[in-house]
Amino acid sequence: MPLTGEAWSPKCWTSREGCNPLAQTGRSKLQNQRAALNQQILKAMRMRTGAENLLKAATNQKVREQVRLELSFLNSDLQMLKEELEGLNISVGVYQNTEEAFTIPLIPLGLKETKDVDFSVALKACRTPSRNGAGVELLLSYFIQLGFVESRFFPPTRQMGILFTWYDSLTGVPVSQQNLLLEKASILFNIGALYTQIGTRCNRQTEAGLESTVDAFQRAAGVLNYLKETFTHTPSYDMSPAMLTVLVKMMLAQAQESAFEKVCLPGLQNEFFLLVKVAQEAAKVGEVYRQLHTAMNQEPVKENVPYSWASLACVKAHHYEALAHYFTATLLIDHQLKPGEDEDHQEKCLSQLYSHMPEGVTPLATLKNVHQRQLLGKSHLCRAITHHEESMREASLCKKLRNIEVLQEVLSAAHQRSQLKYTQLREDDDLLNLTDAPDIISKTEREVEIILPQFSKVTVTDFFQKLGPLSVFSANKRWTAPRSIHFTAEEGDLGFTLRGNSPVQVHFLDPYCSAAAAGTKEGDYIVSIQDVDCKWLTVSEVMKMLKSFGQNDIEMKVVSLLDATSSVHSKCATYSVGMQKTYSMICLGIDVDDKTDKTKKISKKLSFLSWSTNKNRQKSASTLCLPSVGVARPPVKKKLSSPFSLLNTDSSLY
């Protein structure tokens, strides 16, 4: 069902800011690779399904052996394709800032791929949003516009024949539904993904760039969290509640990491209180990555989280824990309590740095005893070196991470720094004298948080505004086609009053008046007068138009609400690879009886109705079969087939 009208022309969307479908950037090429790979995965899955069905049906042993052999090849090919998709998912270099930077890469989400839908050629713009605020606004505008379309054309109890297809961003498995909720949820996912790409693109060598990075990842977390809470039964693995929970944790962890980098950006002075703060900030980052790594290894998401993502989370957890111990060792080894310094403050800071002090050691005694401070400092260096070595080992086990040169350089440099400091202080009896360094309490002055999407800040005009007020002409009710009413006002009396506001409604209809004889019914909505659209006019404006005709013949078009129970039901199944889903579509059948007794004698009536109005607002009504003002219905009984099918908007069915 292509949506028509001026507002949906390709010029309106493809030329707007925030989309560049012809750009051949590294990111767009990567998305093209993802699209091609998704098609290969789909083909392989269909072949595997066919082979599995053949294996179930075959009885000949030789045939079964050949099918099993074919299945083994198909499974092998499918595994290679999924590994290739994982490689695209960890292609962090394409999304990073172009400036040379000695920083650990952040993980972006790739955009979900979709098939063309015959909504309108114009909507293809939403498949290639630019990686900036304009691109985000484009997707947000489309998401809000879908809400208007859903309210106007998609009743809550029916489906329509448009098939939406989206590919899982992590597995490449396609999901198809005759359900606008899939389209809305996938657009939300891509808004979150776009925020991650904006965040990774920011220049993390400047304070403003790091602040933008933190903001982008907090907004990504907010969109994905909104998606999780709003669309609770999505058929796509990457949008399942469990997976979205993990992705939200990943966004917040990367935001916390960027907040730590902002603390360290001016350069770290070898100062006691600053090093205490930085040590606890690093411990906080290590903690959130440890929690993220644990979440990634839980069922049911464990099989679908890219191995490289889980590995990088583990690498960062060890790396930042190592930094926390290194900074703690530095403040212990390089500083001692001097006369005139705030002894109580330093003692308090040191005691709050640890969950517990080593046995027989107190904060004040440690500050005053140089030898004791060095022993504790070397213990922290040993733990730092252990964590550095573990982070490097984890990175070496993952082929994708081994290929990220900047990651290897950062890990190696941090390890060498801790190793050098320990070498300068190492003594032969360290193995006997050193005890296990205590854990460092994580603490941050910048607790990152979810920033929910602010839809109200995006101004969107309903493309189908000309159909009438959305509060009335929406898909929750069914309507007759517009009926032409020809009548005259007798002695200045219409024979009815008006009520409501945009559109107005016939009220207190005299059954013997000319309008009633022509087919007007009480409760009818007036949609046009003399071919002038009046769905947006007020009671006073409509009354003024009717008065202007005096005793002349008036042509008025009205629509009536139909009984909601007069629909015909039929079933329709949808296709969803790997998902056992069945959906139903209810085809609408409308019986409209426009017969009017033209031979009815119009008797003279009492003039109890005059040019008056009833300005009481009527409650909102809604429509499925929207009126077409310019078309008159012949006065015969005819069954109308609605151009729209309906879908359930209850997210629990999605």
Side-chain angles (χ1 to χ4, degrees), residues 43-52 67 69-81:
K43 181 179 178 181
M45 292 189 67
R46 286 176 173 172
M47 292 178 66
R48 186 178 69 175
T49 301
E52 290 173 344
V67 173
L69 180 62
E70 184 67 23
L71 265 176
S72 65
F73 282 114
L74 288 173
N75 285 326
S76 178
D77 289 343
L78 191 58
Q79 183 62 33
M80 292 178 63
L81 290 172

Side-chain angles (χ1 to χ4, degrees), residues 450-566:
I450 289 172
I451 299 179
L452 294 175
Q454 298 173 315
F455 300 113
S456 60
K457 290 191 175 182
V458 180
T459 303
V460 177
T461 302
D462 181 7
F463 285 163
F464 299 94
Q465 188 177 17
K466 290 184 178 180
L467 294 178
L470 183 60
S471 60
V472 176
F473 295 107
S474 60
N476 292 330
K477 298 286 180 67
R478 296 169 51 241
W479 299 79
T480 64
R483 308 190 309 278
S484 292
I485 305 296
H486 295 269
F487 70 101
T488 58
E490 301 177 14
E491 299 179 1
D493 190 353
L494 284 174
F496 57 85
T497 61
L498 302 177
R499 70 174 181 181
N501 192 18
S502 301
V504 299
Q505 199 172 9
V506 174
H507 193 49
F508 289 137
L509 177 67
D510 180 357
Y512 299 104
C513 69
S514 174
T520 305
K521 300 175 183 178
E522 190 164 314
D524 282 350
Y525 285 88
I526 301 176
V527 295
S528 73
I529 298 174
Q530 300 293 101
D531 291 330
V532 176
D533 192 315
C534 59
K535 291 190 292 293
W536 284 97
L537 299 185
T538 62
V539 168
S540 59
E541 290 171 332
V542 172
M543 186 63 69
K544 184 177 180 180
M545 287 183 63
L546 292 173
K547 280 185 176 181
S548 66
F549 294 103
Q551 300 294 325
N552 296 329
D553 187 55
I554 302 173
E555 180 185 3
M556 178 175 69
K557 290 185 178 179
V558 299
V559 294
S560 304
L561 276 172
L562 286 173
D563 182 6
T565 62
S566 59

Side-chain angles (χ1 to χ4, degrees), residues 284-350:
K284 178 66 177 180
V285 179
E287 179 184 65
V288 294
Y289 271 114
R290 178 67 63 189
Q291 294 170 351
L292 173 62
H293 181 254
T294 300
M296 286 178 167
N297 283 280
Q298 300 294 322
E299 297 294 346
V301 301
K302 181 179 179 179
E303 294 182 359
N304 294 318
V305 171
Y307 174 69
S308 52
W309 288 10
S311 297
L312 186 55
C314 185
V315 166
K316 290 190 175 186
H318 284 294
H319 174 72
Y320 286 104
E321 287 177 21
L323 292 183
H325 286 286
Y326 171 79
F327 292 129
T328 302
T330 301
L331 71 89
L332 288 170
I333 294 170
D334 295 351
H335 293 278
Q336 61 181 345
L337 191 60
K338 299 176 182 178
E341 290 186 338
D342 191 342
E343 179 179 302
D344 292 339
H345 192 191
Q346 289 195 17
E347 180 185 7
K348 182 179 179 180
C349 284
L350 188 60

Side-chain angles (χ1 to χ4, degrees), residues 198-211:
I198 292 173
T200 55
R201 190 185 190 186
C202 294
N203 184 357
R204 290 155 61 198
Q205 302 302 304
T206 66
E207 185 172 339
L210 282 169
E211 188 60 39

Side-chain angles (χ1 to χ4, degrees), residues 16 128 161 177 206 327 375 377 581 639:
R16 64 175 293 175
T128 55
Q177 282 192 346
T206 66
F327 292 129
L375 286 177
K581 295 278 184 180
K639 187 174 183 179

